[in-house]
Each structure stands twice: as C-alpha cells, then as structure tokens.
C-alpha cells in the first residue's frame, strides 16, 4: 500500500509540474516558435516529453551510482510517479490523433518520429552526461 501512496504523490507532483511547464512554455516561447515553425505543432508537450526523458536518464544514473540497488521506493516515487505524471504519452497520443484526423498526416508523423527519437536520445544524453560529470 505504501508503494501506491508513493506513486500517487509522485504522479500528482509530476502532473502539476507538467501543467506549469506547459503554461510557462506556452506563455514565454510560443510566439517565437509560431513565427518560425508550424504553429499547430504541439511544441509544449513535445518539449515536456524530451525534458522528462532526459530527467529519467539523469535520475536513473543517480540511482544506480549512489544506491546499492535500484530502490523500489525511489523508483515508485520518482520514475513511475513523478516522471509518469510529468511526461505526457496520453496527451502525445491525442495530439497525434488530432493532427492525423485533421488531415495533417505529414505533421502527425513528423511529430511522432521526432518525439520518440529525440526523447530516447535525451534519456541517453541525460544518463551519460551525468555519468561523465560525476565520474
């Protein structure tokens, strides 16, 4: 039961952080992006997923470096809870669906390929940059 509590707390904090990050990005950066890139591309969700992936790499490195084992409590609170609430796969899926059903198939596919590829790359980058800095 305690693990469920940790996931719930982490998820709530992650979801609120996602909301604040998307609001911040939308208010402070969307004007610049709209001038240079497609304005209907879901930029805030795109960047939240990349940031969340990089954080997953950084936090995973810390966990395997500084703890004797991959502590299930930290995993539940931070990785499953916080990062699960912070990253937005369901929102990502909805953005794809909306672009696709609006006939913007090329933009929908670009969004999907870029999101997955760059997010996975960000996870590797976060992990190995943290390892390099701390080694």
């Amino acid at each position: 039961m305690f693990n469920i509590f940790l996931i719930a707390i982490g998820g709530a904090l992650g979801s609120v952080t996602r909301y604040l990050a998307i609001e911040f990005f939308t208010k402070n950066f969307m004007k610049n992006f709209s001038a240079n890139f497609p304005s209907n591309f879901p930029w805030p969700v795109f960047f939240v997923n990349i940031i969340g992936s990089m954080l997953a790499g950084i936090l995973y490195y810390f966990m395997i470096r500084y703890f004797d084992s991959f502590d299930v409590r930290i995993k539940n609170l931070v990785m499953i809870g916080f990062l699960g609430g912070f990253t937005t796969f369901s929102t990502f899926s909805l953005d794809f669906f909306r672009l696709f059903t609006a006939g913007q198939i090329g933009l929908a596919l670009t969004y999907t390929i870029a999101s997955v590829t760059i997010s996975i790359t960000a996870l590797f980058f976060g992990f190995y940059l943290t390892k390099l800095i701390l080694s």
Side-chain angles (χ1 to χ4, degrees):
M1 196 64 169
F2 185 67
N3 285 325
I4 292 172
F5 174 75
L6 290 173
I7 292 168
I9 294 298
L13 293 171
S15 296
V16 170
T17 303
R18 173 181 18 126
Y19 170 79
L20 294 173
I22 288 172
E23 287 293 307
F24 177 81
F25 185 84
T26 300
K27 289 177 183 174
N28 293 293
F29 298 106
M30 282 307 294
K31 291 178 188 170
N32 295 337
F33 274 86
S34 296
N36 300 310
F37 299 102
S39 61
N40 55 344
F41 192 84
W43 291 109
V45 173
F46 180 75
F47 284 114
V48 161
N49 285 334
I50 292 168
I51 291 165
S53 295
M54 189 180 327
L55 286 173
I58 292 168
L59 293 171
Y60 183 68
Y61 179 81
F62 271 101
M63 283 189 232
I64 64 171
R65 169 90 190 264
Y66 294 108
F67 297 96
D68 291 334
S69 64
F70 194 69
D71 189 324
V72 71
R73 292 169 299 180
I74 295 172
K75 176 186 155 203
N76 288 337
L77 177 67
V78 178
M79 303 297 276
I80 294 174
F82 181 81
L83 290 177
F86 181 67
T87 57
T88 56
F89 200 80
S90 59
T91 305
F92 160 78
S93 300
L94 178 61
D95 288 338
F96 171 84
F97 178 80
R98 290 188 342 201
L99 291 170
F100 190 85
T101 57
Q104 298 177 309
I105 296 167
L107 194 57
L109 293 174
T110 299
Y111 175 57
T112 300
I113 292 166
S115 292
V116 171
T117 303
I118 296 172
S119 292
I120 290 170
T121 302
L123 188 141
F124 275 85
F125 178 77
F127 180 89
Y128 287 110
L129 178 64
T130 305
K131 181 178 180 179
L132 180 67
I133 291 170
L134 297 176
S135 294

